[in-house]
Amino acid sequence: MTDPPHRILYAVIELRRLTKRYGDTLALDGLSFAVEPGHVTGFLGPNGAGKSTAMRLILGLDAPTSGQALVNGRRYALLSKPMREVGALLDAGAVHPGRSAYNQLLALARSNDITPTRVAEVLEQVGLAGVARKRVGGFSLGMKQRLGIAAALLGDPGVLIFDEPVNGLDPDGVRWIRDLMRSLAAEGRTILLSSHLMSEMALTADRIVIIGRGKLIAATTIAGLTARYPSLEDAYMSLTAGSVTNGAAR
Amino acid sequence: MKAILSSEWLKLRSLRSTYLLLGLSLGAVLIGLGLALMAADMYDSAPPERRPSARIADLEEVLVILPQLCMGILGALTMTSEYATGLIRTSLTVVPRRWPVLAAKAAVVGLLGLVVGPATVFGTYAASRWVLGDRFSGAYATALLEKLPILTAISLTVPAFALLGLGLGALFRSTAGAIALLAGLVYVIPMIIGNVPEPWSERLGSIMIGALPHQITGDGNASSVYGSLLPPAAAAAVLVAYAALPLLGATWLLRRRDA
């Protein structure tokens, strides 16, 4: 089940002048950055900055207007068993309420030739083993977040992408995610994590990418930012001051 | 492809709505049985001199609408429920080539239709035949072998509907839109076509799904409410087109649209 370590070591996300236009809206404007393995990289930006759009483009869900998004040096759409290389949680609510947690995961697992044993393993890992046969419709947002994380972990991938995974979690769950992210990074994996919770991000991430209006504002380490600003929050506020928009990109 | 097929098969059988629609489809057999019992009772209580002129509709042909609609809705839901919940983005993320997802859905709902269609049509016919015996001038007493082609042709409209529903669901990405068009094709459009001036009424009527089985078997039902202008091969091609064209269009769009 575990991938050979060399794949994890070289796992990397790379955006090259990525541009995405939806009608009149320029959601991404020549965005370039790289996410390196062995770290939790926090992905920050005001609402509508293009974080979710960037993640959708990395995962091949939307096609770029120009530029490239590469995972392990290749376009995501060219991966044949993508769950074994990239795990993603974009929207924890994106599950059929009538299906059980186990069946939801097993259906995903089967599509990438992942065994039922692994499904049981990840359910155990995220603490949902006891409710695996229950319909997802009755789950709290926190439980759905755990289910989404379980889905991302199914293929034991070297690259993990999480969009706002701490939304709706209780303090216990927030700490659990923090520890999970850090231990996944310590195993040499590449973690890209978006969140609006600055204090939480300061505790979880060691590198930070900040974007605004579809452009890169900063790509640095937490240490580099907190050396120049009183806190990550102050750094974020000051760096994104000119980029706060009220209209979401999509 | 085998992996994606088993994934889609699990998705289909892990939802209650699938069993509900299967049950409703098979309900056609029970309704047929009930109607046949009522008809037999009426026939037996009619004065003997009026019996020779008594007629009965082909129950399996009337009641096939039920499995047609149910399997069409099932086909549509397999796609539209994923759009409604957002699950489609996960499905397309784990299968980035995309078209195998739609192909696997087509295979599983098509196969289910291929089982449900004959089960309901032959089931309804068998129940009616068993109840009615040689009543109604032997309408249900013809040799089984003679009925085989038409019963088969009617049965095949059910998988065609399942694939049509899936295709419409994938095109519209909305349950309401897909089901409205599906129901429109069965009820509304044939009524409108019936009121169009000739020769267009008969021309258009001939390509309605309900008109196809008798044209496929070539037993040109003159009393048909539809038209019957098509030779068997052309009628079969039209049935295949109903199933395949929306799916092909949807596959093309699925590969190009942002998810």
Side-chain angles (χ1 to χ4, degrees):
Chain A
M1 200 64 241
T2 312
D3 288 330
H6 72 273
R7 283 217 353 233
I8 290 174
L9 279 174
Y10 291 105
V12 72
I13 303 166
E14 194 179 353
L15 276 63
R16 293 182 182 163
R17 302 167 61 123
L18 199 58
T19 299
K20 179 64 181 179
R21 191 182 285 283
Y22 298 106
D24 292 340
T25 317
L26 191 58
L28 292 182
D29 187 2
L31 182 63
S32 300
F33 66 83
V35 185
E36 287 169 21
H39 303 280
V40 176
T41 301
F43 194 22
L44 305 177
N47 287 329
K51 299 188 297 293
S52 296
T53 301
M55 288 178 164
R56 273 204 303 272
L57 265 74
I58 292 168
L59 296 171
L61 285 171
D62 290 7
T65 306
S66 67
Q68 278 185 313
L70 302 177
V71 178
N72 292 337
R74 281 176 298 163
R75 276 173 47 219
Y76 183 92
L78 300 178
L79 306 178
S80 66
K81 294 269 186 289
M83 291 176 80
R84 294 168 183 273
E85 296 190 44
V86 186
L89 167 60
L90 292 189
D91 175 6
V95 284
H96 196 297
R99 207 171 267 130
S100 72
Y102 178 78
N103 280 331
Q104 156 74 11
L105 291 183
L106 186 59
L108 292 176
R110 280 187 177 180
S111 72
N112 276 240
D113 283 322
I114 294 164
T115 63
T117 321
R118 177 65 186 161
V119 173
E121 259 173 49
V122 294
L123 278 165
E124 191 68 47
Q125 190 180 354
V126 302
L128 290 178
V131 291
R133 299 286 174 176
K134 294 243 160 59
R135 281 179 223 283
V136 179
F139 281 19
S140 66
L141 180 53
M143 288 162 85
K144 285 183 185 162
Q145 294 283 22
R146 287 171 185 262
L147 180 62
I149 289 167
L153 295 175
L154 265 178
D156 197 17
V159 178
L160 286 152
I161 296 174
F162 298 102
D163 198 2
E164 309 263 357
V166 288
N167 261 6
L169 289 182
D170 53 18
D172 220 37
V174 173
R175 170 172 279 187
W176 174 76
I177 294 234
R178 185 195 310 153
D179 294 343
L180 178 69
M181 298 293 144
R182 298 197 68 90
S183 69
L184 289 169
E187 288 165 19
R189 295 177 216 261
T190 308
I191 319 281
L192 183 64
L193 167 71
S194 87
S195 175
H196 283 306
L197 302 176
M198 289 303 136
S199 51
E200 187 48 41
M201 196 58 103
L203 291 173
T204 312
D206 29 32
R207 301 188 171 207
I208 292 287
V209 171
I210 302 177
I211 67 171
R213 292 188 175 166
K215 288 181 178 165
L216 185 71
I217 293 179
T220 179
T221 60
I222 292 260
L225 280 178
T226 45
R228 287 187 284 139
Y229 298 90
S231 71
L232 179 62
E233 189 177 47
D234 291 310
Y236 173 84
M237 289 300 178
S238 138
L239 287 169
T240 60
S243 319
V244 180
T245 51
N246 289 320
R250 205 184 177 185
Chain B
M1 194 66 215
K2 197 178 142 226
I4 302 164
L5 271 173
S6 84
S7 169
E8 289 300 332
W9 173 242
L10 174 64
K11 280 186 192 170
L12 192 65
R13 68 178 183 77
S14 59
L15 289 179
R16 265 193 297 202
S17 53
T18 302
Y19 299 94
L20 181 72
L21 289 164
L22 275 179
L24 273 176
S25 297
L26 296 172
V29 179
L30 286 181
I31 298 174
L33 185 66
L35 288 175
L37 284 169
M38 279 164 60
D41 191 50
M42 278 160 60
Y43 183 90
D44 293 343
S45 55
E49 69 275 12
R50 291 191 53 196
R51 285 182 189 167
S53 61
R55 292 284 174 273
I56 186 166
D58 295 319
L59 292 176
E60 67 283 356
E61 206 172 327
V62 175
L63 291 170
V64 75
I65 285 181
L66 198 56
Q68 279 175 347
L69 269 182
C70 287
M71 287 297 111
I73 291 171
L74 183 74
L77 277 178
T78 55
M79 203 66 190
T80 58
S81 74
E82 293 211 13
Y83 278 105
T85 56
L87 181 60
I88 188 72
R89 278 190 286 278
T90 309
S91 299
L92 298 182
T93 304
V94 302
V95 184
R97 281 186 302 157
R98 297 189 179 186
W99 69 264
V101 174
L102 196 52
K105 285 184 190 296
V108 296
V109 301
L111 269 175
L112 202 60
L114 214 47
V115 174
V116 171
T120 48
V121 171
F122 282 83
T124 311
Y125 179 77
S128 312
R129 186 183 169 101
W130 175 65
V131 170
L132 294 171
D134 59 0
R135 294 180 181 89
F136 296 99
S137 315
Y140 276 89
T142 42
L144 213 48
L145 213 58
E146 257 176 61
K147 290 292 286 185
L148 197 61
I150 187 63
L151 292 180
T152 306
I154 296 171
S155 299
L156 289 179
T157 62
V158 175
F161 257 85
L163 297 177
L164 173 64
L166 176 66
L168 294 179
L171 281 175
F172 290 111
R173 304 191 282 190
S174 131
T175 310
I179 293 180
L181 198 57
L182 210 56
L185 267 173
V186 185
Y187 296 111
V188 186
I189 296 177
M191 267 198 317
I192 295 172
I193 285 175
N195 291 299
V196 175
E198 295 294 356
W200 284 102
S201 178
E202 191 177 12
R203 284 176 186 170
L204 293 173
S206 299
I207 58 168
M208 290 295 99
I209 297 184
L212 296 175
H214 282 288
Q215 296 179 93
I216 289 173
T217 56
D219 61 357
N221 189 348
S223 66
S224 169
V225 291
Y226 306 104
S228 49
L229 297 173
L230 297 178
V238 172
L239 185 63
V240 170
Y242 269 109
L245 289 185
L247 264 179
L248 289 175
T251 309
W252 188 81
L253 275 178
L254 186 69
R255 296 181 65 175
R256 272 156 191 80
R257 279 197 289 217
D258 284 346

